[in-house]
Every structure is written in structure tokens, then in C-alpha cells.
Amino acid sequence: MKVERSPFVVSIADLLRTPGHRREVEVQGPLGELKSAGTVVGTADDVDVRVGLEAISEGVVADGQISAPWHGECRRCLKEINGHVDVDFRELFEKQPKEGETYPLGHEEIDLEPLIREALLLALPLAPLCEASCQGICPTCGADLNEGPCGCPPAGRDPRWAALDDLHLS
Ligand SMILES: [Zn+2]
Ligand SMILES: [Zn+2]
């Protein structure tokens, strides 16, 4: 059985032998599903990571940029929307990682995936909009108001309109 190796596991053996040396790496691949409140990075989406790695006395510093596509639903009109997020990071990998602060340093490699997932979760929009000016859907008939008015009376009726209605009836 072939074990799939994560594209985000990076060898650092050379770095640990030469402290102070910096190496740039580019890794790319699907991350597995990543969900925030209103958006998702799908299992088939390629996430791009450019990372600079440098060995220091405490461990290995990784800094760079993550770039990922996302998919979601407009919070007003529920239309499917696709977007793209870029996020910068700078994190420390060390032998004895501090919970919630640093990441574990393996013997000869580090796994960037937990870092990538956390950085993306913070950067993904929670409640995306298809457009800032999205009109949403009519709460009465469900029509997409971006395609024009549906003809329903306004939801919260203004008493002034009720007065007008009375005029028409008489
Ligand atoms: Zn919308
Ligand atoms: Zn309507």
C-alpha cells in the first residue's frame, strides 16, 4: 500500500546542519476540507504556499504566504460565490512546542499543514457577500432582488403606505 505523503511536509535536515542558512520552498496541494462559518476550501482545491525556512537556536522559523481559493454562499442572496484568500504568516517550529503558540519540530522535517489550516481559518471570510451592494432575496416570495423588484409590498410596512392603500380603496 502506498502511503500518500502530504505535500506540506518539508525536509529541514540541511537547515539544521547549517544554522543561519535560509531556504525558500514552494509547496502546493489540496488540504482536505477546511470550513469556516460561511466559506469552505474544498478537497480538490490547490493551496499554494511559499515559505522561507531558517534554523535558529530555538528551532526553525517559517515565514511566507498562503494562497487558497474558497467557495461560499452570499449571506444575503444565497448565490454561490468563489473567492481567493492570501495570508501572510511567520511561525516558530521547536522541539518542545508551546500549545497554541509554536509548532512541533520533527527530527528532519516539519509539517506545515496545521499552520496553514489555522492561518486560513482566520483569514477566510465568515459571511461573504456576492457584491457589497447585494440586494438579497425577498423575504415574502424568495425572488432574487438583484434581478429587479418582485412586486411584493415591503416587509415592514410603513404606516404611511397603509394610509395610501386606504385612499385607493375608497
Ligand atoms: Zn448576493
Ligand atoms: Zn417578493
Side-chain angles (χ1 to χ4, degrees):
M1 200 179 97
K2 187 170 165 274
V3 177
E4 288 283 338
R5 194 182 152 85
S6 161
F8 303 112
V9 173
V10 178
S11 167
I12 47 152
D14 59 322
L15 287 174
L16 295 178
R17 280 193 295 270
T18 51
H21 181 65
R22 186 181 159 88
R23 185 157 57 88
E24 304 277 339
V25 190
E26 275 193 55
V27 286
Q28 182 190 60
L31 200 58
E33 195 175 65
L34 184 70
K35 259 194 159 102
S36 87
T39 49
V40 60
V41 178
T43 50
D45 290 321
D46 267 342
V47 174
D48 284 297
V49 182
R50 280 189 297 110
V51 57
L53 299 167
E54 187 178 338
I56 58 170
S57 53
E58 293 92 336
V60 170
V61 174
D63 62 69
Q65 193 178 56
I66 304 161
S67 180
W70 57 260
H71 316 282
E73 229 174 37
C74 173
R75 71 167 185 259
R76 287 189 199 145
C77 72
L78 309 183
K79 207 177 290 160
E80 209 175 284
I81 45 178
N82 300 302
H84 202 95
V85 66
D86 289 307
V87 53
D88 293 326
F89 65 90
R90 181 179 169 83
E91 299 291 348
L92 176 66
F93 287 77
E94 56 183 352
K95 283 263 188 298
Q96 243 88 72
K98 294 180 196 74
E99 174 94 43
E101 277 181 54
T102 58
Y103 292 89
L105 178 65
H107 273 305
E108 304 228 298
E109 58 190 24
I110 55 173
D111 185 1
L112 295 169
E113 187 169 329
L115 177 166
I116 297 167
R117 296 183 77 90
E118 276 183 47
L120 282 178
L121 275 177
L122 292 175
L124 286 171
L126 295 176
L129 284 174
C130 62
E131 280 178 56
S133 63
C134 176
Q135 300 296 305
I137 55 177
C138 169
T140 307
C141 73
D144 184 349
L145 298 177
N146 295 306
E147 285 161 15
C150 58
C152 291
R157 303 231 325 159
D158 188 309
R160 282 170 296 179
W161 288 107
L164 272 180
D165 283 349
D166 289 341
L167 279 180
H168 285 299
L169 285 171
S170 57

PDB file of all heavy atoms in Angstrom, residues 138 140-141 150 152, ligand 2:
ATOM      1  N   CYS A 138     -36.186  38.458  -1.541  1.00  0.00           N
ATOM      2  CA  CYS A 138     -37.414  38.954  -0.920  1.00  0.00           C
ATOM      3  C   CYS A 138     -37.836  37.977   0.177  1.00  0.00           C
ATOM      4  O   CYS A 138     -37.958  36.773  -0.075  1.00  0.00           O
ATOM      5  CB  CYS A 138     -38.504  39.063  -1.974  1.00  0.00           C
ATOM      6  SG  CYS A 138     -40.127  39.360  -1.239  1.00  0.00           S
ATOM      7  N   THR A 140     -40.632  37.577   1.392  1.00  0.00           N
ATOM      8  CA  THR A 140     -42.001  37.102   1.181  1.00  0.00           C
ATOM      9  C   THR A 140     -42.067  36.040   0.085  1.00  0.00           C
ATOM     10  O   THR A 140     -42.588  34.948   0.291  1.00  0.00           O
ATOM     11  CB  THR A 140     -42.926  38.278   0.813  1.00  0.00           C
ATOM     12  OG1 THR A 140     -42.780  39.291   1.811  1.00  0.00           O
ATOM     13  CG2 THR A 140     -44.384  37.838   0.749  1.00  0.00           C
ATOM     14  N   CYS A 141     -41.507  36.364  -1.105  1.00  0.00           N
ATOM     15  CA  CYS A 141     -41.653  35.425  -2.231  1.00  0.00           C
ATOM     16  C   CYS A 141     -40.352  34.726  -2.594  1.00  0.00           C
ATOM     17  O   CYS A 141     -40.349  33.811  -3.405  1.00  0.00           O
ATOM     18  CB  CYS A 141     -42.223  36.133  -3.454  1.00  0.00           C
ATOM     19  SG  CYS A 141     -41.038  37.231  -4.256  1.00  0.00           S
ATOM     20  N   CYS A 150     -39.669  42.532  -6.952  1.00  0.00           N
ATOM     21  CA  CYS A 150     -40.556  41.397  -7.186  1.00  0.00           C
ATOM     22  C   CYS A 150     -42.029  41.805  -7.119  1.00  0.00           C
ATOM     23  O   CYS A 150     -42.908  41.043  -7.488  1.00  0.00           O
ATOM     24  CB  CYS A 150     -40.281  40.309  -6.160  1.00  0.00           C
ATOM     25  SG  CYS A 150     -40.479  40.895  -4.468  1.00  0.00           S
ATOM     26  N   CYS A 152     -43.695  42.498  -4.332  1.00  0.00           N
ATOM     27  CA  CYS A 152     -44.276  42.293  -3.012  1.00  0.00           C
ATOM     28  C   CYS A 152     -44.287  43.633  -2.264  1.00  0.00           C
ATOM     29  O   CYS A 152     -43.414  44.452  -2.465  1.00  0.00           O
ATOM     30  CB  CYS A 152     -43.451  41.314  -2.189  1.00  0.00           C
ATOM     31  SG  CYS A 152     -43.512  39.631  -2.807  1.00  0.00           S
TER      32      CYS A 152
HETATM   33 ZN    ZN B   2     -41.305  39.260  -3.210  1.00  0.00          ZN
END
